[in-house]
Every structure is written in C-alpha cells, then in structure tokens.
Amino acid sequence: PVTDHAPTQCPLPKMAAAAGAGGDEASGDGDRLLFNLSVPFPSVREAQIALGSLSPDSEPRKGGICKTLSVQGCTLQGRWVAHEARILRVSVGSFLDNLSLVLETMDRFGPPSTS
C-alpha cells in the first residue's frame, strides 16, 4: 500500500504569509518564494492514491525549486520553495495539470475498494 512520503528538507523562507482560502498560501522574502497547497479528498485512501500517482514526478530542474508532497489525514499537502516566480509558476501549473488528470481518473473508476 502507498504510505505517506517523508518530505525532503527545503530551505524555509524568512517571511511567512497568512493562509488564504482553502489553506493555500504564498509568500516570499525577495530571495525565495513559498507556495503551500492543500487538496482535500473524501478518504485517506484516496489521498494516498493521489500521492502515489503524483510523487514519482520529480522536478526536472536540479536547482531553483524544491517540491514536497505528503498526506495528512484526508488531505494531500503540497509545498514548493523556489528562487524565481517563473519556475514556481511552471512547477505548480504542471502539478495542477497532473492533479486534474489523477482526479478525473479516480472519478472515472470510482472509489477504491476496501479489499
């Protein structure tokens, strides 16, 4: 079974921002940008399936961005730390495209069986 992935260590920005709607937040200190995303699922199992489907996609760039994914309860948590807004935008956009495909696939096949 898919389990929570231990997040890798990303450098923390010096300035934090207040959470926006849905718990998403973005902030920056002029040197690094931070974006957090929370995606609720109907069950822990579905959140773990999404994590397992999205985790193999590592960032193609070797520097400038760090992405971590984890599951907390029924929620998929994503965290990005980047040095440039453009890199952050591309990474988050790509993740959202992949998340959309995962959600459509899960919806098409229905809830996971308990067996």
Side-chain angles (χ1 to χ4, degrees), residues 1-2 41-50 73-74 106 112-113 115:
V2 177
F41 283 85
S43 70
V44 172
R45 179 76 177 124
E46 288 169 289
Q48 290 174 335
I49 289 170
C74 296
M106 292 171 73
S113 63
S115 56

Side-chain angles (χ1 to χ4, degrees), residues 39-60:
V39 183
F41 283 85
S43 70
V44 172
R45 179 76 177 124
E46 288 169 289
Q48 290 174 335
I49 289 170
L51 175 67
S53 298
L54 296 165
S55 290
D57 298 331
S58 62
E59 293 300 321

